Amino acid sequence: MFPDLTRDDVFRLETRRLWLRWARQADAQALVRLAGEKAVAGMTARIPHPLDPPSVDNFILESRQANADGRALIMAITPQRHPTRAIGVVSIEPDAEGGAPHLGYWLGTPHWGQGLATEAARAMIDAFFAYTEGGELASSARVVNPASRRVLEKCGFASVGSGLQAFPARGGVFPVDRFRLDRRAWDSLKTWHAAGLVFERHDRAECRVGA
């Protein structure tokens, strides 16, 4: 899915406040601490609670292999001023059932309410449409997570209804709101933003986690 450009661990995406880079073994302790919080893990499909260090070690190895293979782009979110300090993860991965690739993200609770998840998600969305030939992205959020829905809306995703989704780490299926963003909408949003026509509401309900 992703080209050679993204398949080297020196690859990164830079935003106004963030660096998005490959996860490293040195990130493990921070990921255990931040992703293991119930408020974060509980909104995700795959992060167990409590979260043990071996699970994070496996995640880091598997994410690096997926990036190297071009199957996915899974990036640690780091502050630009402290690029060695992971504060979350954002990813675009293939859908298990053959649908559109899926955007997912989580951010540690000390960093909520600052617009950082939206900033990271937008960078990944731009990379997907710029570096691949993909025509559409999908994402979802638990219905009890309005902050995550708001992030997707700020990134241009449109609601396509609700449904049930498996959350293996939660031991069952849960209601989610489903979202889509296609290349045409992304092109339009980029054009409008460049022309100064996009006005966004900034509030404290910034995203925590996307399923």
Side-chain angles (χ1 to χ4, degrees):
M1 177 166 52
F2 284 93
D4 290 345
L5 173 68
T6 70
R7 299 185 188 188
D8 191 313
D9 66 0
V10 300
F11 174 79
R12 71 170 185 255
L13 297 171
E14 189 171 340
T15 72
R16 183 171 64 87
R17 295 177 292 173
L18 301 172
W19 276 5
L20 309 182
R21 57 161 175 78
W22 285 32
R24 305 165 182 164
Q25 191 57 44
D27 299 323
Q29 185 175 355
L31 297 182
V32 169
R33 176 172 51 86
L34 294 172
E37 288 193 53
K38 187 175 182 180
V40 174
M43 293 296 168
T44 72
R46 294 182 294 179
I47 300 175
H49 175 77
L51 178 59
D52 59 275
S55 295
V56 171
D57 291 341
N58 288 338
F59 161 76
I60 292 171
L61 291 173
E62 290 170 2
S63 71
R64 292 178 65 85
Q65 189 62 59
N67 287 351
D69 293 343
R71 291 183 284 111
L73 190 58
I74 304 168
M75 306 288 271
I77 303 171
T78 73
Q80 200 175 95
R81 293 182 178 180
H82 303 284
T84 61
R85 181 160 60 97
I87 61 173
V89 170
V90 61
S91 65
I92 294 176
E93 302 180 67
D95 180 72
E97 298 180 359
H102 187 91
L103 171 72
Y105 46 86
W106 66 263
L107 192 67
T109 58
H111 310 282
W112 291 1
Q114 303 171 49
L116 296 176
T118 300
E119 193 169 322
R122 283 177 173 166
M124 289 289 282
I125 293 164
D126 288 350
F128 174 79
F129 286 118
Y131 299 148
T132 82
E133 297 181 355
E136 185 178 49
L137 279 172
S139 194
S140 60
R142 287 189 61 178
V143 297
V144 294
N145 192 357
S148 187
R149 294 199 302 273
R150 177 63 184 143
V151 165
L152 293 173
E153 291 165 356
K154 289 195 290 184
C155 290
F157 280 79
S159 174
V160 292
S162 300
L164 294 176
Q165 179 176 316
F167 280 64
R170 310 277 75 79
V173 296
F174 294 85
V176 297
D177 293 319
R178 303 185 188 279
F179 294 84
R180 291 288 188 277
L181 175 65
D182 63 30
R183 182 176 290 275
R184 178 178 294 182
W186 174 77
D187 281 336
S188 297
L189 289 169
K190 297 295 285 184
T191 300
W192 296 339
H193 183 75
L197 298 177
V198 176
F199 298 89
E200 297 171 337
R201 183 187 73 188
H202 295 278
D203 53 47
R204 295 292 295 178
E206 176 55 35
C207 158
R208 288 78 165 169
V209 236

